[in-house]
Amino acid sequence: MIYERKQLVSLSPADAESLTRCEELLLQSFDELRSSASISVSKDAVETEDGALNGNPSSRFSRLSSHWRGTGEAEELSGEFRIPHLYRAITKPPPPLAWDGSSDDERELIRESREIDGTPRSGTGAIVTARLSTPLEIWLWYRGQPTQMDVDYLGYLEALALTKGTDGWQYLFTDLSFSDPDLYWIADDMQAMLHHFPRLFSQYDYTPLHERLEERL
């Protein structure tokens, strides 16, 4: 089953009552993007299995995805996320990230990784994986290069709720410097996001993201 765009996701009272914290965060971001007058959603979907919306939170959503752009004064913004059900993600094979130049350590990391977010429509090449460890390690892959993020899985979803999948947001949660010539565009995008989002999504406190940005500049 797929809920197509322009129709806000609606749940039965039983399903709404049994939402997990992860599901709440994902649906919240999904509907906030759809409802914003300054965001144009080009494609999104909430995918479930037939009969999954029956109060069973372990199998309710198989994937939530959104691809959007800012409009008007916020036209420089864009973003995307594609979040599968975590259990489905960890039962799939590793993503095809290895290449001829991959080191042995990187190949081991790839074997232990499963994709939990991606950007297939925007084509930015960014993929986020969870390493099957205890606790799960969250890694950002861009142009074949892995960088560990300083969040756990729930922390990743909480940050997604703040950023709505704005292109490059994951770099705020790494130790990389935006003074790197290869990352200058990230600084511009994050400054634009933090300029517009406090107005567009005023229910959130963006102070921690401002602080992270200042640390990376």
Side-chain angles (χ1 to χ4, degrees):
M1 182 185 301
I2 298 179
Y3 292 84
E4 295 294 345
R5 67 183 299 267
K6 301 301 185 184
Q7 177 187 352
L8 294 181
V9 176
S10 60
L11 301 175
S12 69
D15 284 306
E17 182 69 23
S18 63
L19 285 174
T20 67
R21 174 62 174 160
C22 292
E23 291 171 334
E24 288 178 349
L25 289 170
L26 292 173
L27 288 179
Q28 182 174 288
S29 292
F30 194 85
D31 285 350
E32 287 166 351
L33 285 169
R34 288 180 165 190
S35 301
S36 175
S38 296
I39 299 293
S40 174
V41 178
S42 59
K43 180 69 175 180
D44 63 15
V46 180
E47 301 180 17
T48 76
E49 294 182 349
D50 290 339
L53 292 176
N54 59 2
N56 180 0
S58 66
S59 61
R60 188 179 352 252
F61 306 121
S62 59
R63 188 172 68 188
L64 288 88
S65 59
S66 182
H67 180 215
W68 58 269
R69 297 194 65 84
T71 61
E73 295 182 353
E75 64 180 359
E76 69 268 43
L77 296 175
S78 61
E80 181 177 12
F81 59 85
R82 186 183 64 171
I83 306 293
H85 190 287
L86 182 59
Y87 177 76
R88 290 180 173 275
I90 64 177
T91 58
K92 289 187 175 182
L97 295 169
W99 59 292
D100 291 344
S102 297
S103 66
D104 291 342
D105 287 345
E106 287 179 354
R107 291 180 184 275
E108 181 180 1
L109 172 60
I110 293 169
R111 285 194 295 270
E112 297 174 351
S113 296
R114 301 296 184 269
E115 183 174 342
I116 61 167
D117 196 3
T119 56
R121 292 189 173 275
S122 58
T124 64
I127 293 176
V128 179
T129 64
R131 188 174 195 173
L132 302 183
S133 57
T134 305
L136 293 177
E137 295 175 2
I138 308 302
W139 288 77
L140 169 65
W141 296 78
Y142 182 66
R143 296 179 178 175
Q145 298 298 315
T147 303
Q148 187 171 1
M149 297 177 62
D150 63 349
V151 290
D152 58 16
Y153 181 69
L154 182 55
Y156 186 88
L157 297 183
E158 289 174 340
L160 178 62
L162 280 174
T163 64
K164 307 295 183 286
T166 300
D167 293 338
W169 74 266
Q170 292 94 343
Y171 282 99
L172 290 175
F173 293 83
T174 71
D175 60 1
L176 298 178
S177 170
F178 293 169
S179 62
D180 185 323
D182 290 335
L183 298 180
Y184 75 92
W185 63 275
I186 301 291
D188 291 342
D189 286 353
M190 293 302 93
Q191 288 171 331
M193 178 187 76
L194 292 173
H195 173 71
H196 293 290
F197 272 26
R199 172 180 59 86
L200 299 180
F201 307 108
S202 58
Q203 66 272 40
Y204 294 101
D205 177 12
Y206 285 95
T207 303
L209 295 189
H210 276 286
E211 293 172 350
R212 284 182 173 272
L213 177 59
E214 290 299 319
E215 292 172 356
R216 314 261 93 68
L217 292 176

